[in-house]
Amino acid sequence: MKLERDFYTRDTLIVAKELLGKLLVRNSPDGIVKGKIVEVEAYIGSIDKACHAYNDLRSKRTEIMYKNGGHAYVFMIYGMYSCMNVVTNKENLGEAVLIRALEPIDGIELMKKRRNTEKIKNLTNGPGKLCKALDITKDLSGADLCSDTLYIEDYETISEENIISSKRINIDYAEEAKDFLWRFTIKDNPFISQKINI
DNA sequence: GTGAAGATTAACT
DNA sequence: GTTAATCTTCACA
């Protein structure tokens, strides 16, 4: 069952945790691909130096994050990779959840082809990788997650004791914001992107 | 096993 | 001109 707009327009940290265990579905011309979300990070513009929308900074790129929840915010990083976020909460706040890792569920052959590897574990265990496996590019930035090309489906609900909170990754420039425990992973899932260090 | 370098684009100063 | 919410490859232990 596809998630409704109501799911996304709540508090970002709650949505981030509840996204764990859900299915990210990508319906492309080549076929359909599904993956279970096993790792996410929250970004909250108003208090988070690592967030592109920190300090109410609006630009062409961050404009998407100020929409109301349920849209996709995709940006290009380090020249070659894309990262996908789910915009959360109400309009004009600049909050989003970064999808960091998936567990491949459906369309695995297609993912292998796009990623050019045979190792399942290596297909989607990182933000840049999963975007390539799902053919997500900045063209999809601003896409509505209540549409049919890209959406999230109900699947599993992860209970509180199976969610691990830890520091976010690769945002050392963010000063005190780098210590926020806004990275959420499913306990003992082999498809998370990196070792947890608290 | 670890570590460091390089790739390459969009957006900001 | 600089730099980024990353990944792959190559060197060395």
Side-chain angles (χ1 to χ4, degrees):
Chain A
M1 194 184 80
K2 203 186 294 186
L3 296 179
E4 308 282 340
R5 179 81 63 202
D6 292 353
F7 179 87
Y8 303 103
T9 52
R10 297 172 298 154
D11 184 87
T12 299
L13 294 176
I14 293 175
V15 177
K17 284 194 232 180
E18 292 194 11
L19 277 172
L20 291 175
K22 301 283 190 284
L23 287 190
L24 179 65
V25 183
R26 164 69 168 141
N27 198 350
S28 72
D30 297 333
I32 198 159
V33 173
K34 301 186 184 186
K36 187 171 85 171
I37 299 171
V38 298
E39 177 176 358
V40 297
E41 283 179 11
Y43 284 85
I44 298 182
S46 56
I47 53 174
D48 184 3
K49 278 188 189 163
C51 185
H52 294 157
Y54 176 64
N55 209 12
D56 205 30
L57 174 73
R58 284 181 189 244
S59 67
K60 216 176 202 172
R61 182 170 66 164
T62 60
E63 191 62 33
I64 313 288
M65 268 203 275
Y66 290 97
K67 289 185 183 233
N68 62 344
H71 290 86
Y73 169 51
V74 184
F75 63 94
M76 182 146 277
I77 191 67
Y78 300 111
M80 339 169 70
Y81 297 100
S82 302
C83 292
M84 184 202 154
N85 297 250
V86 176
V87 178
T88 55
N89 221 326
K90 312 275 194 250
E91 271 181 277
N92 298 321
L93 291 174
E95 305 189 1
V97 175
L98 169 71
I99 311 292
R100 287 195 58 88
L102 301 176
E103 176 181 335
I105 301 288
D106 231 339
I108 292 177
E109 290 307 313
L110 191 51
M111 289 194 224
K112 282 182 184 170
K113 207 171 109 196
R114 284 179 180 149
R115 292 270 303 116
N116 199 25
T117 178
E118 285 300 310
K119 297 187 198 113
I120 307 279
K121 263 172 86 168
N122 203 27
L123 290 176
T124 53
N125 62 334
K129 298 182 194 178
L130 73 89
C131 283
K132 200 167 178 195
L134 270 62
D135 195 27
I136 294 172
T137 65
K138 70 182 183 59
D139 293 342
L140 282 171
S141 197
D144 190 348
L145 293 175
C146 299
S147 72
D148 285 327
T149 45
L150 185 65
Y151 59 93
I152 296 173
E153 241 177 39
D154 205 6
Y155 191 60
E156 293 173 1
T157 299
I158 310 298
S159 60
E160 193 73 32
E161 64 264 22
N162 287 316
I163 296 177
I164 298 181
S165 304
S166 56
K167 290 182 189 178
R168 291 175 295 168
I169 303 213
N170 291 333
I171 52 162
D172 290 343
Y173 58 88
E175 299 174 32
E176 76 279 357
K178 73 179 170 23
D179 292 329
F180 294 170
L181 298 177
W182 286 354
R183 178 188 181 208
F184 302 108
T185 48
I186 297 180
K187 190 180 177 185
D188 294 333
N189 188 290
F191 293 92
I192 60 174
S193 69
Q194 293 187 33
K195 276 183 197 155
I196 310 230
N197 54 70
I198 300 181

